[in-house]
Amino acid sequence: MSSPSYHTSSLCKYLVISGAIAIFFTLVIFIQTYTISESFYGNIFTIKCQERLSQPKETTTNLSHLMFVLVGSPRTWKNRRTYVESWWRPNVTRGNIFMDVEPSEELLPWSPTFPPFRVSEDVKKLRFYRKLRKPSHTRFYRAILETYRLKDEGVRWYVMGDDDTLFFVDNLVNVLSKYDHTRQHYIGMNSETIKSNVYFSFNMGFGGGGYALSYALVEALVVKLDECVEKYHFIWAVDHIQSLCLADLGVDLTLEKGFHQVDLFGDISGFLSSQPTAPLLSLHHFDTVSPLFPGMDRPGSVIHIMKAANVDQSRMLQLSICHVRASNWTFSVSWGYSVHIYEKIFSRSHLKLPIETFRSWYGGRPPVYMFNTRPVSRNPCEAPHGFFFDSIQKENEGVVTSYTRKFIRNMTSCSFSGNISADPIGSIRVFSPTTPRKGRKVECCDVDYEGDVASIRLRDCMRDEIIA
């Protein structure tokens, strides 16, 4: 008879062999399943990659992807059409100007150099018309809806503006290219004055200065647009209603400093001579400010500034500062608009503050503006010699803008300069590269002068260069 230990040993061997066999078959099944799975998902991945590669690559945003939605009236068009005509590019820019009524015979035939016009839908047909606080403004807002219904192909951005808005379209394309048009974006800027923002909203893009809505956002907005207008019927300003409607959709304003509402009066040369490094996107309210250049009317001054903009928008109003240490002079260039000479060494941190040559719409005690300013001064060490843009030409080595003195400063020289007066300087030539300025990059410069002409060359700032 077998002993118990023998049976126990045999049982253990049997269990070990059975377990090994079970593990072996389990591993075989797992490996086969994993291989089939890998092959299956690998094929799917390969198919998807092939599908993506076969699809046409999406192009970078260009001017054809922007749809301009402008609002005006035949009553104002006669005096304002030059503002729009100066930046509109026939057969290139896309969009319409919405009028409240048909243009009169005086304005017909409609010039091909203007945006196509459309007559706004009659807002009196809206069932909530009588509730509206400012019915005439409602058509401004609904112009977005009417444009969307046209179903134009290839639109990525809807850009709102007035008939006195001056757009710098190349810069606009470059800025909007930073954003994904397939997502919901609301891009604009506040007013320059605190009271305007308080009266309306700090969360609102001012439509006169222009703002942009991505296609994805407009697609969602138009579904509820009239419903939202009725909801906020008690709001006076249409741009304010816009910001509220978009906020209810979960989209807030993204600020781009290049949009300018220009809620200012009078001489804005101080404002234009010290702009932020953001690309210039728009200017507005030309009828409430003095002509941009001395000795010109308003339409003429707009045509004049666009001569520079049509060559290089990337540098428009961009500030470059350089010094002549031997004379204790500082040159401040606002490209395409003005050059200032100070008979004292000033830092960029000081000169980037606009000289308050202008007035606010609402006045009152300071603070008035959304930015710091410098006062107009009669101190010969603080008051600049002013030169304004005169002409532009392309040369083999780059672009040359010329600036001329329009009036004598009529002050004594600054003692800090050793009584070396800049009065003899009558004109200034600024040499810039043909390549556009990249992003918000600040450019430095070098200057020399002989006789009554000064020459300035813009260049990249050296590493750790201090502009002071």
Side-chain angles (χ1 to χ4, degrees):
M1 188 172 179
S2 301
S3 65
S5 61
Y6 171 80
H7 289 292
T8 302
S9 175
S10 298
L11 179 61
C12 288
K13 290 180 179 179
Y14 173 76
L15 291 173
V16 170
I17 294 171
S18 298
I21 293 171
I23 291 172
F24 173 77
F25 280 108
T26 302
L27 288 173
V28 170
I29 294 171
F30 173 78
I31 291 170
Q32 288 180 337
T33 305
Y34 178 78
T35 303
I36 294 171
S37 175
E38 279 285 290
S39 175
F40 174 73
Y41 287 109
N43 288 337
I44 291 178
F45 179 76
T46 302
I47 292 170
K48 287 187 174 181
C49 285
Q50 289 175 344
E51 287 178 350
R52 289 178 182 175
L53 291 173
S54 64
Q55 291 175 351
K57 187 178 180 180
E58 187 172 68
T59 58
T60 303
T61 296
N62 58 55
L63 189 51
S64 70
H65 296 128
L66 275 57
M67 179 62 67
F68 289 91
V69 185
L70 309 177
V71 182
S73 170
R75 292 185 294 276
T76 58
W77 185 247
K78 181 178 179 180
N79 295 324
R80 293 183 174 182
R81 61 188 182 186
T82 301
Y83 305 147
V84 176
E85 191 177 22
S86 66
W87 64 265
W88 186 262
R89 300 175 184 177
N91 301 318
V92 178
T93 39
R94 303 171 66 190
N96 301 280
I97 182 163
F98 287 82
M99 301 290 192
D100 51 349
V101 295
E102 287 277 352
S104 63
E105 291 184 3
E106 181 184 7
L107 300 176
L108 298 175
W110 194 254
S111 173
T113 60
F114 300 159
F117 77 85
R118 303 183 73 88
V119 178
S120 300
E121 294 178 4
D122 188 0
V123 296
K124 293 180 181 179
K125 296 179 180 179
L126 298 174
R127 58 181 175 76
F128 51 85
Y129 172 78
R130 294 183 180 276
K131 295 165 60 177
L132 297 173
R133 183 176 177 187
K134 191 71 173 179
S136 60
H137 280 196
T138 302
R139 78 175 185 92
F140 295 5
Y141 189 23
R142 294 188 85 254
I144 301 172
L145 173 61
E146 294 177 41
T147 301
Y148 178 81
R149 286 174 175 169
L150 297 175
K151 295 296 182 182
D152 294 286
E153 294 184 358
V155 178
R156 296 183 182 181
W157 296 94
Y158 293 87
V159 182
M160 298 294 297
D162 291 347
D163 57 358
D164 61 342
T165 306
L166 181 66
F167 283 114
F168 297 84
V169 295
D170 295 335
N171 284 345
L172 196 55
V173 168
N174 290 335
V175 167
L176 294 180
S177 296
K178 299 186 307 181
Y179 300 92
D180 184 353
H181 62 277
T182 65
R183 297 182 178 273
Q184 297 182 350
H185 289 293
Y186 169 33
I187 302 170
M189 190 58 196
N190 303 140
S191 170
E192 295 81 7
T193 64
I194 293 174
K195 285 187 177 179
S196 290
N197 295 318
V198 170
Y199 291 158
F200 299 109
S201 174
F202 282 91
N203 301 313
M204 157 185 128
F206 280 68
Y211 59 79
L213 306 177
S214 64
Y215 182 89
L217 180 54
V218 172
E219 191 176 36
L221 173 66
V222 295
V223 176
K224 300 289 185 180
L225 190 144
D226 281 341
E227 180 181 317
C228 191
V229 172
E230 181 178 14
K231 178 181 179 181
Y232 294 110
H233 65 273
F234 53 89
I235 300 294
W236 179 82
V238 65
D239 296 330
H240 191 187
I241 295 176
Q242 171 75 290
S243 67
L244 297 174
C245 294
L246 296 179
D248 291 347
L249 281 171
V251 181
D252 295 325
L253 178 66
T254 298
L255 297 178
E256 281 288 350
K257 290 186 176 181
F259 289 109
H260 292 296
Q261 173 71 4
V262 193
D263 283 344
L264 305 171
F265 281 132
D267 175 12
I268 62 170
S269 62
F271 177 71
L272 298 180
S273 295
S274 299
Q275 281 298 293
T277 54
L280 178 64
L281 302 178
S282 69
L283 295 171
H284 182 228
H285 278 155
F286 294 102
D287 292 341
T288 64
V289 299
S290 303
L292 304 184
F293 295 96
M296 294 186 180
D297 58 17
R298 291 183 175 92
S301 68
V302 169
I303 292 172
H304 189 59
I305 200 170
M306 289 304 295
K307 291 177 182 177
N310 289 334
V311 174
D312 185 358
Q313 291 194 5
S314 71
R315 289 186 170 85
M316 281 303 300
L317 305 190
Q318 294 304 307
L319 195 63
S320 295
I321 311 257
C322 39
H323 303 95
V324 179
R325 304 288 176 180
S327 306
N328 277 332
W329 289 356
T330 302
F331 286 74
S332 175
V333 180
S334 175
W335 196 93
Y337 181 66
S338 69
V339 177
H340 288 167
I341 303 178
Y342 296 86
E343 295 180 1
K344 183 181 178 181
I345 300 297
F346 281 111
S347 64
R348 181 178 179 275
S349 60
H350 177 72
L351 296 181
K352 66 182 290 189
L353 306 179
I355 301 174
E356 201 172 327
T357 58
F358 44 85
R359 307 188 312 278
S360 166
W361 273 30
Y362 299 102
R365 294 181 178 180
V368 176
Y369 305 106
M370 295 289 291
F371 48 84
N372 300 112
T373 62
R374 289 180 281 154
V376 174
S377 176
R378 293 296 300 169
N379 184 328
C381 296
E382 297 176 355
H385 297 259
F387 300 75
F388 288 91
F389 170 69
D390 182 66
S391 64
I392 185 169
Q393 60 186 22
K394 290 184 177 181
E395 294 187 352
N396 293 333
E397 298 180 358
V399 177
V400 183
T401 47
S402 298
Y403 306 77
T404 58
R405 186 191 291 272
K406 297 299 181 181
F407 48 82
I408 300 297
R409 193 177 65 148
N410 201 23
M411 293 183 188
T412 59
S413 58
C414 172
S415 58
F416 281 96
S417 67
N419 295 319
I420 302 177
S421 174
D423 282 345
I425 304 296
S427 63
I428 299 173
R429 303 182 78 203
V430 177
F431 297 81
S432 58
T434 53
T435 54
R437 185 183 69 104
K438 295 181 179 179
R440 303 192 178 195
K441 180 180 179 182
V442 173
E443 290 182 313
C444 292
C445 53
D446 298 310
V447 59
D448 59 75
Y449 62 93
E450 183 176 352
D452 62 350
V453 179
S455 297
I456 298 174
R457 291 190 178 275
L458 303 187
R459 57 170 173 79
D460 290 341
C461 294
M462 293 181 287
R463 183 176 180 178
D464 301 327
E465 182 171 0
I466 302 298
I467 311 173

